[in-house]
Amino acid sequence: MFEDFAFYMMKEACEKRTTNILDISGKKYAFDSTTIPLCLATFPWAKFRSKKGGVKAHVLYDIEAQVPAFYTVTTASKHDSTAMSSIHYEPNAYYIFDRAYDSFKELYRIHLTDSFFVVRAKTNLKYKTVKWKRRMPKNITTDAEVKLTGYLSGKKYPESFRLVRYYDEEDDRELTFLTNAKQLSALDVANLYKKRWLIELFFKWLKQHLKIKKFWGTTENAVRIQISVAIITYCLVAIVQHDMKLKRSTYEVLQILSISLTDKTLLRDLFDKTNFNDVKDLYNPIIPGLFD
């Protein structure tokens, strides 16, 4: 029941808050997971390692609406890429992944549904270049069409796709992306991947409110219910933010509400008449591991 209601609220929030970023048509999602550690003695069903327990919340995050669009919960021992099979891919949508999601079987499934992926490449990728562009914008070092040469990976993804190398001036390193979105500019591919920081903000809030000492039950069902309730809460706040036309980010609204729970001020007065300049990590947060 809680999970069903969470999916209902996610749908409502996504529809209300739909926007368009980067002048790229189509939905844009980031898919990632966060591990919630649990005490193995208290949560024996959530075995992760010999002396550790935990669950993973796998979330498909709508980076334009800034709310989750889908989620599933597994034990922490499950590899991230195994959750990709649970996603219902939409045509003409963009799906952004980090390096843990290099399942070429699933990436090819995205391609066959007329959707697009942007995934960070691993360093041991085996491929051959089919053709490449000679003139490239600033910070783009490679923009080429490539094909996998590994026997198994080549069978899983038999067609060619695009490889883009981007030089990140801020961290002084080069990042390699794989994508089947041949219609985008190379900079748009890099900028799409940068939007992953939004799902990191969501996970940061989720983990702040899902500490071990705050779980109300120790069964798998109790943990799943509490994760569902957290997502329902997030979506409710996002809808309130949209309907009240608040000029603050969803994350900022959540932070302000969390420090004002005992305040009886009306919501409109709370946001219009109160100065919250001391709230941290709001508009330009530094997210550790943004490009990991």
Side-chain angles (χ1 to χ4, degrees):
M1 180 179 69
F2 288 93
E3 193 172 84
D4 288 344
F5 188 57
F7 276 97
Y8 172 79
M9 290 306 303
M10 287 188 291
K11 185 174 182 292
E12 287 288 303
C14 286
E15 290 177 353
K16 271 181 173 283
R17 294 168 54 85
T18 183
T19 56
N20 188 38
I21 62 172
L22 302 176
D23 293 324
I24 300 172
S25 60
K27 290 275 192 176
K28 301 161 193 73
Y29 300 102
F31 189 68
D32 208 344
S33 73
T34 186
T35 300
I36 302 168
L38 300 172
C39 175
L40 192 57
T42 309
F43 302 87
W45 52 268
K47 188 173 182 179
F48 180 23
R49 296 193 177 100
S50 58
K51 296 182 180 180
K52 292 184 179 180
V55 294
K56 275 186 181 179
H58 306 265
V59 177
L60 183 68
Y61 194 80
D62 188 324
I63 62 176
E64 294 179 315
Q66 294 187 33
V67 290
F70 168 80
Y71 78 98
T72 185
V73 180
T74 67
T75 57
S77 58
K78 291 284 187 180
H79 192 273
D80 289 345
S81 62
T82 60
M84 295 174 72
S85 60
S86 61
I87 303 174
H88 176 69
Y89 296 111
E90 305 172 23
N92 300 314
Y94 293 84
Y95 296 89
I96 306 163
F97 306 95
D98 67 11
R99 285 182 294 190
Y101 299 90
D102 64 342
S103 170
F104 288 106
K105 179 181 178 181
E106 288 299 320
L107 294 177
Y108 193 54
R109 185 163 74 93
I110 295 174
H111 179 68
L112 293 178
T113 56
D114 295 323
S115 304
F116 307 101
F117 61 82
V118 176
V119 59
R120 176 97 179 271
K122 289 185 177 179
T123 55
N124 61 351
L125 182 72
K126 295 180 180 180
Y127 65 92
K128 64 178 180 180
T129 302
V130 178
K131 61 180 179 180
W132 58 89
K133 292 184 180 179
R134 297 185 182 276
R135 293 183 180 180
M136 290 166 289
K138 182 182 177 182
N139 295 334
I140 300 296
T141 59
T142 303
D143 187 357
E145 183 179 342
V146 301
K147 196 167 184 180
L148 296 171
T149 57
Y151 176 74
L152 291 178
S153 59
K155 290 187 69 175
K156 293 174 182 177
Y157 202 112
E159 298 185 38
S160 63
F161 51 82
R162 192 175 176 189
L163 183 146
V164 174
R165 286 197 177 94
Y166 169 77
Y167 174 66
D168 179 22
E169 290 183 337
E170 185 176 345
D171 293 329
D172 188 25
R173 59 175 175 169
E174 192 176 63
L175 307 167
T176 304
F177 307 116
L178 308 178
T179 181
N180 65 332
K182 298 180 180 180
Q183 75 280 8
L184 296 183
S185 71
L187 283 175
D188 277 344
V189 172
N191 288 332
L192 268 177
Y193 187 83
K194 284 183 179 181
K195 293 299 179 181
R196 279 191 65 254
W197 71 268
L198 291 169
I199 195 171
E200 300 290 349
L201 275 185
F202 172 73
F203 285 151
K204 182 177 181 179
W205 177 86
L206 191 69
K207 297 186 91 167
Q208 283 175 346
H209 293 76
L210 283 176
K211 297 178 181 178
I212 298 172
K213 62 183 181 181
K214 293 187 177 180
F215 273 109
W216 292 99
T218 59
T219 66
E220 180 178 0
N221 191 52
V223 172
R224 293 176 71 94
I225 285 174
Q226 195 157 336
I227 293 173
S228 296
V229 169
I231 290 175
I232 291 167
T233 302
Y234 191 92
C235 291
L236 281 170
V237 172
I239 290 172
V240 168
Q241 177 210 16
H242 174 271
D243 291 350
M244 292 180 67
K245 296 180 171 60
L246 300 176
K247 295 180 180 180
R248 297 178 184 269
S249 69
T250 306
Y251 183 73
E252 184 178 5
V253 172
L254 285 161
Q255 292 293 85
I256 291 171
L257 289 177
S258 69
I259 62 176
S260 310
L261 292 177
T262 58
D263 196 321
K264 295 183 179 180
T265 306
L266 294 175
L267 279 179
R268 177 58 67 186
D269 292 338
L270 181 68
F271 288 103
D272 287 351
K273 299 180 181 180
T274 310
N275 185 3
F276 286 103
N277 291 330
D278 293 333
V279 179
K280 297 178 180 179
D281 299 332
L282 301 179
Y283 292 106
N284 296 295
I286 299 173
I287 305 298
L290 173 60
F291 285 110
D292 289 347

